[in-house]
Amino acid sequence: MSAADLARLQFAATTGIHWLFVILTMGLVPIVAIMHTRAAFTRDPAQRAVRERMTRFWGQLYVINYAVGIVTGLVMEFQFGLSWSGLSKFAGNVFGAPLALETLIAFFAESTFLGMWIFGWGRLRRGVHVTLIWLVALTAYASGYWILIANGFMQHPVGYEVRDGAAYLTDFAALLTNSNALVALLHLSLGALTTGGCFVAGISAYHFLRHTEERELFRTSMKLGLWVSTVASFFVVVVGEMQRPIIERTQPMKDAVLENSGVAELQAQLVKEHGPGNYVPWQDTMRISMDTMSLIGNTVSTITAIALILLWKDRLMRWRWASWVVVWMIPFPFIASVGGWIVREVGRQPWLVYGQLTVEDALSNVGKTSLLLSCTLFIAIFLALAVTNWTLITRFALRGPDATQLGLTEPLPDDVPDGPEGSADEKQPVPVF
């Protein structure tokens, strides 16, 4: 493999693994926020207790995924300097600000709100506590917006001019309203909600198969998960089709490969415009990824709609095969989302910034041995983190609500003295996680 291939493999693998954390985070947090809102404003004490247990159970799975996933996100931006210094030199003046804002939102604002929500159980007023989880959801999607603004510039550069071999921002509004980024954000958000809904519905179905005693908790969870995934999976297909005219207008070669028409003519045209080179991306990879994404998207939309009808007719839990279908549906939205990411990124090759900067020109002057070492190390660490994450999620998901520690309170030790050194406030239960 060449140095460029190693650098591309490293970035593709680490970004792909990180994306699996991101899509579950973005898909699960709105569902947890809805659960918490319903729990906080339910008047019946018994029903409120069930909904609060439900919030804490799914909230703990979300926190595990977020905590491990944020570690994978820490190294993503450092790879620009490690392997792609040419990209930083050319486009750093343009998308440096969006990347900085994403870092501030994801690693400061979102983490702060989440920490306050985690340790706020039993300490904050219900309205304040609920507001915090909605702020976590808002900042999660704001983080995704800024990332796609940077990526959208690489897909379809707008609002800039080139001076002395570097791009400089001239129209910030054009950068923020890049159609390539905005429609992709909507598509991504709907895909994330589909993933989160299938995750909740699948785990709930598994607990019903185990004849759980928490029937009300998991029935309510399954109903919400199926509603979210059914609606989101329908519209994710619709919004996916909305991207085709944008691709046709801004990346004609990608559209030609997907349509399997006019590839040779466009190759000849691009050679005239940009000089000798191969401007055709990996056709088989793109078509297989596109077909996989489309097939899974339509299948998930159909299955979740049928499962929702069966749940409404009270047959889903009685038909074990139907519950198993919902369980085994959990990984499919993840596979579809990776397929979509491959189509988006591979489709603009050989460009890193479409029409302006190629992959070869953006590559850092780093030796092949160094790239091989960093590629092996990064992929190994990311795979270890992914295995750790899903091991923890699986363990806590299978244990059920009784093993939930989020929001749990326990008294201080009995040997806390009375009087000034052991005040009443000190004896109050403290939340632990």
Side-chain angles (χ1 to χ4, degrees):
M1 298 178 71
S2 65
D5 290 335
L6 286 170
R8 293 167 76 179
L9 174 62
Q10 175 181 301
F11 199 83
T14 53
T15 305
I17 295 171
H18 176 64
W19 171 241
L20 297 178
F21 290 90
V22 173
I23 193 171
L24 183 58
T25 295
M26 294 181 67
L28 199 52
V29 66
I31 297 176
V32 173
I34 292 171
M35 291 176 177
H36 195 181
T37 303
R38 296 180 67 189
F41 296 100
T42 298
R43 294 184 177 182
D44 181 62
Q47 198 171 38
R48 184 193 305 147
V50 171
R51 291 178 175 177
E52 190 169 288
R53 280 169 59 81
M54 181 169 60
T55 303
R56 294 193 297 109
F57 172 71
W58 297 109
Q60 178 162 287
L61 300 184
Y62 163 74
V63 170
I64 292 171
N65 185 75
Y66 179 88
V68 182
I70 204 168
V71 177
T72 65
L74 289 172
V75 300
M76 297 305 303
E77 294 175 14
F78 293 109
Q79 293 186 84
F80 290 123
L82 176 66
S83 304
W84 307 105
S85 59
L87 174 63
S88 301
K89 291 177 182 177
F90 176 78
N93 297 313
V94 177
F95 68 51
L99 287 180
L101 286 168
E102 189 276 334
T103 301
L104 288 172
I105 291 171
F107 297 116
F108 292 94
E110 185 179 356
S111 299
T112 300
F113 293 138
L114 181 59
M116 294 172 67
W117 183 74
I118 291 172
F119 296 104
W121 289 89
R123 296 299 182 103
L124 298 174
R125 294 182 178 179
R126 280 182 291 176
V128 174
H129 202 199
V130 170
T131 300
L132 286 171
I133 190 61
W134 281 109
L135 287 173
V136 173
L138 178 63
T139 50
Y141 281 81
S143 176
Y145 168 75
W146 288 113
I147 280 292
L148 279 175
I149 289 299
N151 182 265
F153 178 81
M154 297 166 69
Q155 300 285 343
H156 175 49
V158 294
Y160 75 104
E161 65 178 14
V162 178
R163 299 195 301 265
D164 299 324
Y168 291 87
L169 186 63
T170 58
D171 189 344
F172 193 50
L175 183 70
L176 298 185
T177 57
N178 188 345
S179 59
N180 191 287
L182 296 181
V183 179
L185 176 63
L186 182 57
H187 188 63
L188 178 156
S189 301
L190 290 167
L193 289 171
T194 302
T195 305
C198 289
F199 178 82
V200 171
I203 293 175
S204 299
Y206 179 80
H207 279 280
F208 271 108
L209 288 166
R210 294 177 63 186
H211 304 290
T212 178
E213 295 180 359
E214 303 274 2
R215 294 187 63 84
E216 184 180 355
L217 187 154
F218 285 112
R219 180 183 174 84
T220 305
S221 297
M222 184 186 293
K223 184 178 180 180
L224 178 58
L226 288 175
W227 266 113
V228 170
S229 55
T230 299
V231 175
S233 61
F234 172 79
F235 284 104
V236 77
V237 176
V238 175
V239 175
E241 290 300 319
M242 289 171 55
Q243 294 188 88
R244 296 303 288 268
I246 298 174
I247 293 173
E248 184 179 2
R249 186 178 72 252
T250 61
Q251 296 182 7
M253 180 59 81
K254 179 189 289 187
D255 182 69
V257 170
L258 292 175
E259 295 292 338
N260 197 22
S261 174
V263 174
E265 292 82 352
L266 275 171
Q267 166 66 16
Q269 179 182 333
L270 290 171
V271 167
K272 291 181 181 179
E273 294 177 1
H274 301 286
N278 181 13
Y279 297 95
V280 182
W282 301 329
Q283 300 183 61
D284 291 340
T285 301
M286 282 187 60
R287 289 170 187 157
I288 292 172
S289 299
M290 187 68 182
D291 291 344
T292 301
M293 178 181 62
S294 300
L295 177 63
I296 290 177
N298 287 297
T299 301
V300 168
S301 180
T302 303
I303 291 176
T304 53
I306 294 173
L308 189 60
I309 294 172
L310 292 177
L311 180 65
W312 176 58
K313 292 182 175 293
D314 202 25
R315 294 181 181 177
L316 182 61
M317 280 79 77
R318 289 186 289 169
W319 293 353
R320 292 181 62 84
W321 64 268
S323 295
W324 277 116
V325 169
V326 177
V327 173
W328 288 111
M329 191 173 58
I330 292 176
F332 287 102
F334 291 95
I335 298 171
S337 68
V338 171
W341 174 79
I342 290 173
V343 171
R344 183 171 176 84
E345 295 303 303
V346 170
R348 76 170 186 272
Q349 301 298 314
W351 303 104
L352 211 54
V353 178
Y354 195 85
Q356 297 294 327
L357 182 70
T358 64
V359 170
E360 295 289 342
D361 292 336
L363 186 66
S364 299
N365 187 21
V366 180
K368 185 176 178 180
T369 303
S370 298
L371 282 172
L372 179 60
L373 179 62
S374 67
C375 181
T376 303
L377 186 62
F378 271 115
I379 293 177
I381 292 173
F382 273 55
L383 285 174
L385 289 170
V387 170
T388 300
N389 180 64
W390 282 102
T391 300
L392 289 172
I393 287 177
T394 302
R395 180 177 300 173
F396 281 95
L398 297 183
R399 287 179 179 178
D402 288 339
T404 301
Q405 294 176 301
L406 178 66
L408 187 65
T409 59
E410 61 182 21
L412 291 175
D414 294 335
D415 58 351
V416 175
D418 295 328
E421 296 181 0
S423 64
D425 288 339
E426 289 176 330
K427 294 181 181 178
Q428 292 299 315
V430 294
V432 296
F433 176 70

